[in-house]
Amino acid sequence: MEKILDRFLRYVAIDTQSDDSSESQPSTNKQLNLSRLLLSELEGMGLDAKLDEYGYVTASIPSNIDKKVPTVAFISHVDTSPDASGKDIKPQIIKNYNGEDIELKGVEGLTMKVKDFPELSMYVGQTLITTDGTTLLGADDKAGVAEIMSAVEYITTHPEFKHGEIKIGFTPDEEIGRGVIKFDVKAFGADFAYTMDGGQIGELEFENFNAASAQIHIQGRNVHPGYAKNKMINAIIIANELNMLLPVEQRPEFTSGYEGFFHIYKMNASVEEAQLSYIIRDHDREKFEDKKKLMLSCIDFINNKYGKGTATITINDQYFNMREKVEPHYHIVEKAVEAMKKEGITAIIKPIRGGTDGANLSYKGLPCPNIFAGGHNFHGKMEFVPLESMEKAVAVIKNIIELYAKD
């Protein structure tokens, strides 16, 4: 059995950043470098594995019991977030963590401080994998990928481990909300699935944000500033004005729990024109629709004030709250709770303040809650994952499989 740490480090060494400006799938060819590696490793374990034209890696482990039980799947995504570089990742391995601030040695003076990240104190005495401060780590979701692959290796090398049919899936482009748009659920052949894509140990989620993206264009008019009176229309000023029309208290930095938000995450602007990128989130479907209407009304306000066509917007739905699709099959949540309990883990059931492939899969007919992969501070340079959390996640996968085999 390969150590999960070695497996994880091998996967994060591959740059798999997705690109939300690309229209292809996968959005970046470099994601296929990891997909091809996973295909090769699955085939090396004796499995019938495939990599299709859209970047999906799928595999099946045949049942070794003589009764029909549900076919359970485990899914993770190979891409990392566009929010921070995933190239040339240099992980720091901190054994027997002492509970103190962690210096990120790739950037002088950059430190992950316990006062800013109090969750660090949960892992005193454990082995932490952090970044060096120059990139993200990629535990989202290469921790999940490594956990699934480690479980597969165990199952295929221990014939005494009894199980029903098991399906494995690895997807691209989850971070840009397009991970399973072309995923063929019927051909995949699973009854239920779990994404290994959650955060800290114990997390178990079956409800998530409703999500949309919004792209806004502001058309200004550039005139020499010395002669600009009553002529110039400054797109930068208008872009800022439009952003200020949205409720301040509904920004990510002021929300938690079930509270939704508007999040501006990119702006390219000059006097002549500006492009703004937003994401819109809310757990409540009605409030979600109201947020989209509010953004449209802000566009109308700008156009009424500065002239028709000054502001244009495109809003695209990305995924919806999976709760209504998972709840009728609540036993899959209960199985995960029991699987964690067997490892001495108390399940932390809470809404995802984000999304997973499981949301879209659930709406495609494959109910799919989300289980912890162990990481913290995703999408940034302060990302870390405890080794022991990954090891526990592998055990939880095996426990779920065993529980279904005993039904």
Side-chain angles (χ1 to χ4, degrees), residues 5 9 91-95 127-130:
L5 176 58
L9 295 179
Q92 296 186 151
I93 313 300
I94 302 168
K95 296 181 179 179
T127 296
L128 301 188
I129 306 117
T130 77

Side-chain angles (χ1 to χ4, degrees), residues 15 37 101 114 134 188 228 243 267 287 300 306 315 343:
D15 180 10
L37 175 62
D101 295 347
V114 177
T134 60
F188 189 49
N243 188 60
M267 183 170 73
K287 291 179 180 178
D300 289 341
Y306 294 98
I315 297 178
E343 297 303 316

Side-chain angles (χ1 to χ4, degrees), residues 359-380:
N360 282 327
L361 287 171
S362 294
Y363 276 86
K364 281 174 166 279
L366 181 60
C368 188
N370 189 45
I371 293 176
F372 72 90
H376 290 261
N377 305 334
F378 296 147
H379 296 194

Side-chain angles (χ1 to χ4, degrees), residues 20 176-177 210-218 242-243 246 261-268 274-281 288-289 291-299 311-319:
D20 58 0
I176 57 174
N210 297 290
S213 64
Q215 300 296 325
I216 298 172
H217 181 262
I218 306 293
L242 183 138
N243 188 60
L246 297 170
F261 57 75
F262 299 90
H263 175 45
I264 182 170
Y265 66 92
K266 187 188 299 182
M267 183 170 73
N268 295 313
Q275 186 74 29
L276 293 77
S277 298
Y278 285 85
I279 59 173
I280 306 167
R281 300 290 189 264
F288 173 64
E289 297 299 332
K291 280 181 167 58
K292 291 190 287 183
K293 291 176 185 176
L294 176 59
M295 185 158 272
L296 290 171
S297 71
C298 293
I299 297 297
T312 55
I313 186 170
T314 301
I315 297 178
N316 290 313
D317 289 330
Q318 295 171 303
Y319 49 81

Side-chain angles (χ1 to χ4, degrees), residues 119 122-123 126 147 198-204 340 343-350 371-376 378 384-396:
E119 63 271 18
M122 297 166 53
Y123 304 109
Q126 297 190 24
E147 289 153 8
Q200 76 174 67
I201 186 168
E203 280 191 3
L204 173 58
M340 291 185 195
E343 297 303 316
I345 302 168
T346 300
I348 305 169
I349 300 178
K350 63 179 185 178
I371 293 176
F372 72 90
H376 290 261
F378 296 147
F384 73 92
V385 63
L387 174 60
E388 289 79 359
S389 295
M390 288 197 291
E391 292 170 338
K392 285 289 189 180
V394 176
V396 168

Side-chain angles (χ1 to χ4, degrees), residues 308-328:
K308 184 178 179 180
T310 300
T312 55
I313 186 170
T314 301
I315 297 178
N316 290 313
D317 289 330
Q318 295 171 303
Y319 49 81
F320 299 105
N321 192 338
M322 67 175 136
R323 178 171 183 161
E324 69 175 85
K325 301 299 181 181
V326 173
E327 222 163 22

